[in-house]
Amino acid sequence: MDCNCVSDLLLTSPVPALWAPGFAFPDWAYKPESSPGSRQIQLWHFILELLQKEEYQSVIAWQGDYGEFVIKDPDEVARLWGIRKCKPHMNYDKLSRALRYYYNKRILHKTKGKRFTYKFNFSKVLLVNYPLLELGGAPLLLAPCPGGAHGPDCPPLTPETLQSLFSSPRLGGPPGRGPLFERQAESEKLRLDSALPFLGSGVSGYSKPPLLAPYGRTPPFPEYPWNFNPYLSGAFPLSSSKLPASLYSPHFYPNPLAQLPAPVSLLAAEGAERGALGPAAVPRLCLPPHGAALPLRGEGHGPGGREREALGDRGSSPPGGPKEDPGSDSELEITDLSECSSENESSPESLELKLGVLEGGPGAAGGPAEEGKSPAGT
DNA sequence: GCCGGAAGTA
DNA sequence: TACTTCCGGC
């Protein structure tokens, strides 16, 4: 059965890189065709998309530790996921089951004690998709740290370094050549998991930076090193709309899996995943230290809410309203499950959801999130 | 709410 | 393969 949902629209949209503390997901992370093992949108991609969109702040948002997010409105997230997948009967129970399958894959894990709160294992996400950063000929990565140092001895990769890897300050530079490509020295190696403590198992010695005042999508930029706010939607030092095109060019993000011997890629991913292999067994990604501190982060975002019939009451604007979003970087549109085939027995009028600014921005169509939702709680 | 087994689906 | 659906148990 065909599903003629709007997912295609959404998925082929140029979604900008989104945040990770000190790291931005390249746009391939949001493309179904980049989804490992599947041509369809994967749930974690979808979650990232929502997290990236400002208009869904009241539905799902980054919170707590790096990589951690809270589903403020489980029903709404489930509804959106159902729309995307043409599963009108989707609910949070089912969605959460899918999320739980990510536990074993180490893509996600649950933040215990916090309702509706999960945490991304970015190392897995990254390495599965991008096990080896092929640096246009520059020998890179997956090599032992200088001096044979491994593990804790390996200089950590700082957010700044990661930032530099995926941003291109040289706006006039040759396309497809970010700072990463300027690093030619063999000693320049990248090691993701030591620098991004939220990566890996989720258990690390990383101590949380001081909390900031309640954060919003308007970041207190000065508070962040390299102008980076992990809580900004699509947080990136530069507004995504201002990011150099080269940042998203396929040249900049070749698919290493297509270029590398499978064993190497697999080993990298596997090593990062398990973290159990000895250092000699698993090539590590290393880069020299930059000495930059981890970005501070904000906290204290107000609770969202959840009270909505699965496909019924939608409505108004999210708290703060889906404002005009002239700078919106994606052209997402979720319209109607009626376009789904057989499975969709919902009333056509029950679903009309606009994401992003396909035409006139989210405000034009009314955001999916509602006003005055009560805090999630049951 | 959360977990994970089991069976089914595309 | 990546969920979806259902469900018993905690």
PDB file of all heavy atoms in Angstrom, chain A residues 1 97 100-101 103 110 115-116 378, chain B residues 1-7 9-10:
ATOM      1  N   MET A   1       0.832  -1.199   0.000  1.00  0.00           N
ATOM      2  CA  MET A   1       0.000   0.000   0.000  1.00  0.00           C
ATOM      3  C   MET A   1       0.861   1.240   0.000  1.00  0.00           C
ATOM      4  O   MET A   1       1.802   1.370   0.731  1.00  0.00           O
ATOM      5  CB  MET A   1      -0.890  -0.012   1.217  1.00  0.00           C
ATOM      6  CG  MET A   1      -0.082  -0.035   2.502  1.00  0.00           C
ATOM      7  SD  MET A   1      -1.087  -0.099   3.933  1.00  0.00           S
ATOM      8  CE  MET A   1       0.048  -0.813   5.092  1.00  0.00           C
ATOM      9  N   ARG A  97       7.989   2.274  22.369  1.00  0.00           N
ATOM     10  CA  ARG A  97       8.509   0.932  22.123  1.00  0.00           C
ATOM     11  C   ARG A  97       9.601   0.988  21.062  1.00  0.00           C
ATOM     12  O   ARG A  97      10.629   0.324  21.161  1.00  0.00           O
ATOM     13  CB  ARG A  97       7.385  -0.014  21.669  1.00  0.00           C
ATOM     14  CG  ARG A  97       7.867  -1.436  21.447  1.00  0.00           C
ATOM     15  CD  ARG A  97       8.224  -2.071  22.773  1.00  0.00           C
ATOM     16  NE  ARG A  97       8.908  -3.356  22.659  1.00  0.00           N
ATOM     17  CZ  ARG A  97      10.229  -3.488  22.666  1.00  0.00           C
ATOM     18  NH1 ARG A  97      10.995  -2.417  22.736  1.00  0.00           N
ATOM     19  NH2 ARG A  97      10.785  -4.676  22.602  1.00  0.00           N
ATOM     20  N   ARG A 100      12.603   2.276  22.527  1.00  0.00           N
ATOM     21  CA  ARG A 100      13.296   1.291  23.364  1.00  0.00           C
ATOM     22  C   ARG A 100      14.144   0.339  22.538  1.00  0.00           C
ATOM     23  O   ARG A 100      15.141  -0.181  23.026  1.00  0.00           O
ATOM     24  CB  ARG A 100      12.290   0.533  24.222  1.00  0.00           C
ATOM     25  CG  ARG A 100      11.707   1.367  25.341  1.00  0.00           C
ATOM     26  CD  ARG A 100      11.043   0.490  26.401  1.00  0.00           C
ATOM     27  NE  ARG A 100       9.852  -0.177  25.933  1.00  0.00           N
ATOM     28  CZ  ARG A 100       8.636   0.383  25.880  1.00  0.00           C
ATOM     29  NH1 ARG A 100       8.477   1.643  26.265  1.00  0.00           N
ATOM     30  NH2 ARG A 100       7.600  -0.293  25.447  1.00  0.00           N
ATOM     31  N   TYR A 101      13.743   0.150  21.320  1.00  0.00           N
ATOM     32  CA  TYR A 101      14.582  -0.683  20.465  1.00  0.00           C
ATOM     33  C   TYR A 101      15.932  -0.011  20.188  1.00  0.00           C
ATOM     34  O   TYR A 101      16.888  -0.658  19.818  1.00  0.00           O
ATOM     35  CB  TYR A 101      13.876  -0.990  19.143  1.00  0.00           C
ATOM     36  CG  TYR A 101      13.008  -2.208  19.236  1.00  0.00           C
ATOM     37  CD1 TYR A 101      11.641  -2.130  19.030  1.00  0.00           C
ATOM     38  CD2 TYR A 101      13.552  -3.449  19.555  1.00  0.00           C
ATOM     39  CE1 TYR A 101      10.832  -3.250  19.115  1.00  0.00           C
ATOM     40  CE2 TYR A 101      12.760  -4.575  19.650  1.00  0.00           C
ATOM     41  CZ  TYR A 101      11.393  -4.475  19.428  1.00  0.00           C
ATOM     42  OH  TYR A 101      10.607  -5.593  19.520  1.00  0.00           O
ATOM     43  N   TYR A 103      17.663   1.275  22.422  1.00  0.00           N
ATOM     44  CA  TYR A 103      18.555   1.031  23.555  1.00  0.00           C
ATOM     45  C   TYR A 103      19.628   0.022  23.181  1.00  0.00           C
ATOM     46  O   TYR A 103      20.811   0.231  23.417  1.00  0.00           O
ATOM     47  CB  TYR A 103      17.783   0.518  24.771  1.00  0.00           C
ATOM     48  CG  TYR A 103      16.745   1.460  25.335  1.00  0.00           C
ATOM     49  CD1 TYR A 103      15.864   1.025  26.311  1.00  0.00           C
ATOM     50  CD2 TYR A 103      16.644   2.782  24.912  1.00  0.00           C
ATOM     51  CE1 TYR A 103      14.903   1.867  26.851  1.00  0.00           C
ATOM     52  CE2 TYR A 103      15.681   3.629  25.437  1.00  0.00           C
ATOM     53  CZ  TYR A 103      14.809   3.167  26.406  1.00  0.00           C
ATOM     54  OH  TYR A 103      13.857   3.995  26.941  1.00  0.00           O
ATOM     55  N   LYS A 110      17.597   5.648  27.991  1.00  0.00           N
ATOM     56  CA  LYS A 110      16.618   6.324  28.826  1.00  0.00           C
ATOM     57  C   LYS A 110      17.321   7.056  29.949  1.00  0.00           C
ATOM     58  O   LYS A 110      18.266   6.562  30.539  1.00  0.00           O
ATOM     59  CB  LYS A 110      15.661   5.288  29.413  1.00  0.00           C
ATOM     60  CG  LYS A 110      14.497   5.882  30.186  1.00  0.00           C
ATOM     61  CD  LYS A 110      13.473   6.504  29.229  1.00  0.00           C
ATOM     62  CE  LYS A 110      12.284   7.047  29.999  1.00  0.00           C
ATOM     63  NZ  LYS A 110      12.624   8.228  30.824  1.00  0.00           N
ATOM     64  N   ARG A 115      10.706  11.384  33.476  1.00  0.00           N
ATOM     65  CA  ARG A 115       9.669  10.938  32.560  1.00  0.00           C
ATOM     66  C   ARG A 115       9.863  11.519  31.176  1.00  0.00           C
ATOM     67  O   ARG A 115      10.201  12.672  31.000  1.00  0.00           O
ATOM     68  CB  ARG A 115       8.303  11.338  33.100  1.00  0.00           C
ATOM     69  CG  ARG A 115       7.957  10.650  34.393  1.00  0.00           C
ATOM     70  CD  ARG A 115       6.881  11.393  35.145  1.00  0.00           C
ATOM     71  NE  ARG A 115       5.616  11.388  34.422  1.00  0.00           N
ATOM     72  CZ  ARG A 115       4.893  12.462  34.212  1.00  0.00           C
ATOM     73  NH1 ARG A 115       5.292  13.622  34.638  1.00  0.00           N
ATOM     74  NH2 ARG A 115       3.756  12.363  33.571  1.00  0.00           N
ATOM     75  N   PHE A 116       9.633  10.700  30.205  1.00  0.00           N
ATOM     76  CA  PHE A 116       9.682  11.109  28.807  1.00  0.00           C
ATOM     77  C   PHE A 116      11.044  11.676  28.405  1.00  0.00           C
ATOM     78  O   PHE A 116      11.144  12.462  27.479  1.00  0.00           O
ATOM     79  CB  PHE A 116       8.595  12.154  28.507  1.00  0.00           C
ATOM     80  CG  PHE A 116       7.227  11.738  28.954  1.00  0.00           C
ATOM     81  CD1 PHE A 116       6.501  12.536  29.823  1.00  0.00           C
ATOM     82  CD2 PHE A 116       6.676  10.541  28.521  1.00  0.00           C
ATOM     83  CE1 PHE A 116       5.224  12.162  30.234  1.00  0.00           C
ATOM     84  CE2 PHE A 116       5.398  10.163  28.933  1.00  0.00           C
ATOM     85  CZ  PHE A 116       4.672  10.975  29.791  1.00  0.00           C
ATOM     86  N   THR A 378       1.204  12.404  34.121  1.00  0.00           N
ATOM     87  CA  THR A 378       0.203  11.443  34.469  1.00  0.00           C
ATOM     88  C   THR A 378       0.766  10.608  35.573  1.00  0.00           C
ATOM     89  O   THR A 378       1.955  10.483  35.668  1.00  0.00           O
ATOM     90  CB  THR A 378      -0.145  10.515  33.290  1.00  0.00           C
ATOM     91  OG1 THR A 378       1.061  10.029  32.725  1.00  0.00           O
ATOM     92  CG2 THR A 378      -0.994  11.219  32.299  1.00  0.00           C
TER      93      THR A 378
ATOM     94  P    DG B   1       1.698   7.693  31.056  1.00  0.00           P
ATOM     95  OP1  DG B   1       1.130   8.836  31.730  1.00  0.00           O
ATOM     96  OP2  DG B   1       1.735   7.521  29.622  1.00  0.00           O
ATOM     97  O5'  DG B   1       3.143   7.377  31.637  1.00  0.00           O
ATOM     98  C5'  DG B   1       3.854   8.278  32.473  1.00  0.00           C
ATOM     99  C4'  DG B   1       5.180   7.634  32.838  1.00  0.00           C
ATOM    100  O4'  DG B   1       4.918   6.400  33.544  1.00  0.00           O
ATOM    101  C3'  DG B   1       6.051   7.281  31.662  1.00  0.00           C
ATOM    102  O3'  DG B   1       7.414   7.512  32.020  1.00  0.00           O
ATOM    103  C2'  DG B   1       5.776   5.798  31.448  1.00  0.00           C
ATOM    104  C1'  DG B   1       5.511   5.309  32.854  1.00  0.00           C
ATOM    105  N9   DG B   1       4.566   4.193  32.939  1.00  0.00           N
ATOM    106  C8   DG B   1       3.298   4.134  32.429  1.00  0.00           C
ATOM    107  N7   DG B   1       2.698   2.996  32.662  1.00  0.00           N
ATOM    108  C5   DG B   1       3.631   2.261  33.374  1.00  0.00           C
ATOM    109  C6   DG B   1       3.565   0.949  33.902  1.00  0.00           C
ATOM    110  O6   DG B   1       2.624   0.150  33.846  1.00  0.00           O
ATOM    111  N1   DG B   1       4.737   0.587  34.558  1.00  0.00           N
ATOM    112  C2   DG B   1       5.827   1.384  34.684  1.00  0.00           C
ATOM    113  N2   DG B   1       6.860   0.852  35.337  1.00  0.00           N
ATOM    114  N3   DG B   1       5.910   2.604  34.199  1.00  0.00           N
ATOM    115  C4   DG B   1       4.787   2.980  33.546  1.00  0.00           C
ATOM    116  P    DC B   2       8.461   7.428  30.899  1.00  0.00           P
ATOM    117  OP1  DC B   2       9.558   8.295  31.335  1.00  0.00           O
ATOM    118  OP2  DC B   2       7.813   7.632  29.605  1.00  0.00           O
ATOM    119  O5'  DC B   2       8.975   5.925  30.977  1.00  0.00           O
ATOM    120  C5'  DC B   2       9.494   5.444  32.205  1.00  0.00           C
ATOM    121  C4'  DC B   2       9.691   3.963  32.120  1.00  0.00           C
ATOM    122  O4'  DC B   2       8.411   3.301  32.178  1.00  0.00           O
ATOM    123  C3'  DC B   2      10.361   3.468  30.833  1.00  0.00           C
ATOM    124  O3'  DC B   2      11.638   2.974  31.149  1.00  0.00           O
ATOM    125  C2'  DC B   2       9.413   2.389  30.308  1.00  0.00           C
ATOM    126  C1'  DC B   2       8.549   2.067  31.527  1.00  0.00           C
ATOM    127  N1   DC B   2       7.185   1.547  31.230  1.00  0.00           N
ATOM    128  C2   DC B   2       6.813   0.293  31.700  1.00  0.00           C
ATOM    129  O2   DC B   2       7.634  -0.367  32.351  1.00  0.00           O
ATOM    130  N3   DC B   2       5.575  -0.166  31.434  1.00  0.00           N
ATOM    131  C4   DC B   2       4.718   0.578  30.732  1.00  0.00           C
ATOM    132  N4   DC B   2       3.501   0.081  30.501  1.00  0.00           N
ATOM    133  C5   DC B   2       5.084   1.877  30.238  1.00  0.00           C
ATOM    134  C6   DC B   2       6.314   2.320  30.514  1.00  0.00           C
ATOM    135  P    DC B   3      12.577   2.482  30.001  1.00  0.00           P
ATOM    136  OP1  DC B   3      13.959   2.692  30.436  1.00  0.00           O
ATOM    137  OP2  DC B   3      12.093   3.029  28.720  1.00  0.00           O
ATOM    138  O5'  DC B   3      12.288   0.919  30.006  1.00  0.00           O
ATOM    139  C5'  DC B   3      12.465   0.181  31.215  1.00  0.00           C
ATOM    140  C4'  DC B   3      12.058  -1.241  30.989  1.00  0.00           C
ATOM    141  O4'  DC B   3      10.622  -1.295  30.916  1.00  0.00           O
ATOM    142  C3'  DC B   3      12.573  -1.824  29.683  1.00  0.00           C
ATOM    143  O3'  DC B   3      13.599  -2.745  29.939  1.00  0.00           O
ATOM    144  C2'  DC B   3      11.360  -2.499  29.045  1.00  0.00           C
ATOM    145  C1'  DC B   3      10.275  -2.388  30.104  1.00  0.00           C
ATOM    146  N1   DC B   3       8.925  -2.105  29.557  1.00  0.00           N
ATOM    147  C2   DC B   3       7.960  -3.104  29.555  1.00  0.00           C
ATOM    148  O2   DC B   3       8.246  -4.213  30.006  1.00  0.00           O
ATOM    149  N3   DC B   3       6.740  -2.838  29.051  1.00  0.00           N
ATOM    150  C4   DC B   3       6.468  -1.628  28.576  1.00  0.00           C
ATOM    151  N4   DC B   3       5.236  -1.406  28.101  1.00  0.00           N
ATOM    152  C5   DC B   3       7.434  -0.585  28.567  1.00  0.00           C
ATOM    153  C6   DC B   3       8.638  -0.858  29.059  1.00  0.00           C
ATOM    154  P    DG B   4      14.619  -3.129  28.811  1.00  0.00           P
ATOM    155  OP1  DG B   4      15.869  -3.549  29.450  1.00  0.00           O
ATOM    156  OP2  DG B   4      14.604  -2.078  27.773  1.00  0.00           O
ATOM    157  O5'  DG B   4      13.922  -4.417  28.181  1.00  0.00           O
ATOM    158  C5'  DG B   4      13.633  -5.515  29.023  1.00  0.00           C
ATOM    159  C4'  DG B   4      12.696  -6.461  28.311  1.00  0.00           C
ATOM    160  O4'  DG B   4      11.406  -5.823  28.145  1.00  0.00           O
ATOM    161  C3'  DG B   4      13.149  -6.857  26.894  1.00  0.00           C
ATOM    162  O3'  DG B   4      12.879  -8.229  26.710  1.00  0.00           O
ATOM    163  C2'  DG B   4      12.248  -6.008  25.991  1.00  0.00           C
ATOM    164  C1'  DG B   4      10.973  -6.013  26.826  1.00  0.00           C
ATOM    165  N9   DG B   4      10.029  -4.955  26.479  1.00  0.00           N
ATOM    166  C8   DG B   4      10.319  -3.656  26.132  1.00  0.00           C
ATOM    167  N7   DG B   4       9.258  -2.947  25.860  1.00  0.00           N
ATOM    168  C5   DG B   4       8.207  -3.827  26.033  1.00  0.00           C
ATOM    169  C6   DG B   4       6.815  -3.638  25.879  1.00  0.00           C
ATOM    170  O6   DG B   4       6.211  -2.619  25.542  1.00  0.00           O
ATOM    171  N1   DG B   4       6.096  -4.803  26.160  1.00  0.00           N
ATOM    172  C2   DG B   4       6.659  -5.994  26.543  1.00  0.00           C
ATOM    173  N2   DG B   4       5.819  -7.014  26.774  1.00  0.00           N
ATOM    174  N3   DG B   4       7.958  -6.185  26.691  1.00  0.00           N
ATOM    175  C4   DG B   4       8.666  -5.070  26.425  1.00  0.00           C
ATOM    176  P    DG B   5      13.648  -9.047  25.631  1.00  0.00           P
ATOM    177  OP1  DG B   5      14.837  -9.635  26.260  1.00  0.00           O
ATOM    178  OP2  DG B   5      13.760  -8.254  24.396  1.00  0.00           O
ATOM    179  O5'  DG B   5      12.587 -10.206  25.362  1.00  0.00           O
ATOM    180  C5'  DG B   5      11.889 -10.759  26.467  1.00  0.00           C
ATOM    181  C4'  DG B   5      10.583 -11.347  25.990  1.00  0.00           C
ATOM    182  O4'  DG B   5       9.606 -10.282  25.828  1.00  0.00           O
ATOM    183  C3'  DG B   5      10.672 -12.062  24.647  1.00  0.00           C
ATOM    184  O3'  DG B   5       9.953 -13.283  24.715  1.00  0.00           O
ATOM    185  C2'  DG B   5      10.033 -11.081  23.666  1.00  0.00           C
ATOM    186  C1'  DG B   5       9.031 -10.343  24.536  1.00  0.00           C
ATOM    187  N9   DG B   5       8.763  -8.960  24.146  1.00  0.00           N
ATOM    188  C8   DG B   5       9.683  -7.950  24.034  1.00  0.00           C
ATOM    189  N7   DG B   5       9.158  -6.808  23.666  1.00  0.00           N
ATOM    190  C5   DG B   5       7.804  -7.095  23.526  1.00  0.00           C
ATOM    191  C6   DG B   5       6.724  -6.249  23.146  1.00  0.00           C
ATOM    192  O6   DG B   5       6.755  -5.050  22.849  1.00  0.00           O
ATOM    193  N1   DG B   5       5.522  -6.936  23.129  1.00  0.00           N
ATOM    194  C2   DG B   5       5.363  -8.253  23.435  1.00  0.00           C
ATOM    195  N2   DG B   5       4.127  -8.731  23.354  1.00  0.00           N
ATOM    196  N3   DG B   5       6.359  -9.048  23.793  1.00  0.00           N
ATOM    197  C4   DG B   5       7.544  -8.408  23.821  1.00  0.00           C
ATOM    198  P    DA B   6      10.139 -14.395  23.604  1.00  0.00           P
ATOM    199  OP1  DA B   6       9.911 -15.705  24.236  1.00  0.00           O
ATOM    200  OP2  DA B   6      11.379 -14.118  22.859  1.00  0.00           O
ATOM    201  O5'  DA B   6       8.921 -14.084  22.630  1.00  0.00           O
ATOM    202  C5'  DA B   6       7.599 -14.057  23.160  1.00  0.00           C
ATOM    203  C4'  DA B   6       6.626 -13.640  22.080  1.00  0.00           C
ATOM    204  O4'  DA B   6       6.625 -12.198  21.991  1.00  0.00           O
ATOM    205  C3'  DA B   6       6.981 -14.161  20.683  1.00  0.00           C
ATOM    206  O3'  DA B   6       5.870 -14.866  20.165  1.00  0.00           O
ATOM    207  C2'  DA B   6       7.273 -12.901  19.871  1.00  0.00           C
ATOM    208  C1'  DA B   6       6.515 -11.831  20.641  1.00  0.00           C
ATOM    209  N9   DA B   6       7.058 -10.477  20.521  1.00  0.00           N
ATOM    210  C8   DA B   6       8.352 -10.084  20.679  1.00  0.00           C
ATOM    211  N7   DA B   6       8.544  -8.790  20.518  1.00  0.00           N
ATOM    212  C5   DA B   6       7.283  -8.302  20.236  1.00  0.00           C
ATOM    213  C6   DA B   6       6.806  -7.004  19.969  1.00  0.00           C
ATOM    214  N6   DA B   6       7.573  -5.923  19.936  1.00  0.00           N
ATOM    215  N1   DA B   6       5.488  -6.866  19.727  1.00  0.00           N
ATOM    216  C2   DA B   6       4.706  -7.954  19.757  1.00  0.00           C
ATOM    217  N3   DA B   6       5.036  -9.224  20.000  1.00  0.00           N
ATOM    218  C4   DA B   6       6.357  -9.337  20.241  1.00  0.00           C
ATOM    219  P    DA B   7       6.052 -15.761  18.876  1.00  0.00           P
ATOM    220  OP1  DA B   7       5.397 -17.047  19.147  1.00  0.00           O
ATOM    221  OP2  DA B   7       7.457 -15.696  18.421  1.00  0.00           O
ATOM    222  O5'  DA B   7       5.160 -14.950  17.837  1.00  0.00           O
ATOM    223  C5'  DA B   7       3.859 -14.532  18.227  1.00  0.00           C
ATOM    224  C4'  DA B   7       3.361 -13.469  17.265  1.00  0.00           C
ATOM    225  O4'  DA B   7       4.051 -12.225  17.532  1.00  0.00           O
ATOM    226  C3'  DA B   7       3.608 -13.798  15.787  1.00  0.00           C
ATOM    227  O3'  DA B   7       2.384 -13.625  15.073  1.00  0.00           O
ATOM    228  C2'  DA B   7       4.660 -12.781  15.349  1.00  0.00           C
ATOM    229  C1'  DA B   7       4.379 -11.623  16.301  1.00  0.00           C
ATOM    230  N9   DA B   7       5.510 -10.728  16.537  1.00  0.00           N
ATOM    231  C8   DA B   7       6.787 -11.064  16.870  1.00  0.00           C
ATOM    232  N7   DA B   7       7.597 -10.042  17.018  1.00  0.00           N
ATOM    233  C5   DA B   7       6.781  -8.949  16.758  1.00  0.00           C
ATOM    234  C6   DA B   7       7.026  -7.558  16.742  1.00  0.00           C
ATOM    235  N6   DA B   7       8.214  -7.014  17.007  1.00  0.00           N
ATOM    236  N1   DA B   7       5.996  -6.746  16.446  1.00  0.00           N
ATOM    237  C2   DA B   7       4.808  -7.282  16.185  1.00  0.00           C
ATOM    238  N3   DA B   7       4.445  -8.574  16.164  1.00  0.00           N
ATOM    239  C4   DA B   7       5.490  -9.363  16.465  1.00  0.00           C
ATOM    240  P    DT B   9       0.665  -9.399   9.030  1.00  0.00           P
ATOM    241  OP1  DT B   9      -0.746  -9.184   8.646  1.00  0.00           O
ATOM    242  OP2  DT B   9       1.426 -10.543   8.492  1.00  0.00           O
ATOM    243  O5'  DT B   9       1.470  -8.068   8.715  1.00  0.00           O
ATOM    244  C5'  DT B   9       1.108  -6.848   9.365  1.00  0.00           C
ATOM    245  C4'  DT B   9       1.997  -5.720   8.873  1.00  0.00           C
ATOM    246  O4'  DT B   9       3.288  -5.814   9.494  1.00  0.00           O
ATOM    247  C3'  DT B   9       2.224  -5.719   7.361  1.00  0.00           C
ATOM    248  O3'  DT B   9       2.057  -4.402   6.879  1.00  0.00           O
ATOM    249  C2'  DT B   9       3.673  -6.169   7.231  1.00  0.00           C
ATOM    250  C1'  DT B   9       4.279  -5.637   8.507  1.00  0.00           C
ATOM    251  N1   DT B   9       5.493  -6.334   8.992  1.00  0.00           N
ATOM    252  C2   DT B   9       6.608  -5.584   9.283  1.00  0.00           C
ATOM    253  O2   DT B   9       6.659  -4.373   9.155  1.00  0.00           O
ATOM    254  N3   DT B   9       7.681  -6.309   9.757  1.00  0.00           N
ATOM    255  C4   DT B   9       7.730  -7.669   9.952  1.00  0.00           C
ATOM    256  O4   DT B   9       8.747  -8.198  10.384  1.00  0.00           O
ATOM    257  C5   DT B   9       6.532  -8.398   9.621  1.00  0.00           C
ATOM    258  C7   DT B   9       6.489  -9.881   9.802  1.00  0.00           C
ATOM    259  C6   DT B   9       5.481  -7.698   9.167  1.00  0.00           C
ATOM    260  P    DA B  10       1.514  -4.207   5.373  1.00  0.00           P
ATOM    261  OP1  DA B  10       0.403  -3.244   5.429  1.00  0.00           O
ATOM    262  OP2  DA B  10       1.333  -5.531   4.744  1.00  0.00           O
ATOM    263  O5'  DA B  10       2.751  -3.490   4.681  1.00  0.00           O
ATOM    264  C5'  DA B  10       3.202  -2.252   5.204  1.00  0.00           C
ATOM    265  C4'  DA B  10       4.598  -1.954   4.682  1.00  0.00           C
ATOM    266  O4'  DA B  10       5.548  -2.765   5.399  1.00  0.00           O
ATOM    267  C3'  DA B  10       4.787  -2.261   3.195  1.00  0.00           C
ATOM    268  O3'  DA B  10       5.573  -1.237   2.605  1.00  0.00           O
ATOM    269  C2'  DA B  10       5.567  -3.564   3.207  1.00  0.00           C
ATOM    270  C1'  DA B  10       6.405  -3.390   4.465  1.00  0.00           C
ATOM    271  N9   DA B  10       6.883  -4.623   5.057  1.00  0.00           N
ATOM    272  C8   DA B  10       6.319  -5.868   5.003  1.00  0.00           C
ATOM    273  N7   DA B  10       7.000  -6.791   5.632  1.00  0.00           N
ATOM    274  C5   DA B  10       8.093  -6.103   6.146  1.00  0.00           C
ATOM    275  C6   DA B  10       9.194  -6.504   6.914  1.00  0.00           C
ATOM    276  N6   DA B  10       9.381  -7.765   7.328  1.00  0.00           N
ATOM    277  N1   DA B  10      10.104  -5.559   7.244  1.00  0.00           N
ATOM    278  C2   DA B  10       9.913  -4.309   6.831  1.00  0.00           C
ATOM    279  N3   DA B  10       8.919  -3.798   6.101  1.00  0.00           N
ATOM    280  C4   DA B  10       8.031  -4.762   5.792  1.00  0.00           C
TER     281       DA B  10
END
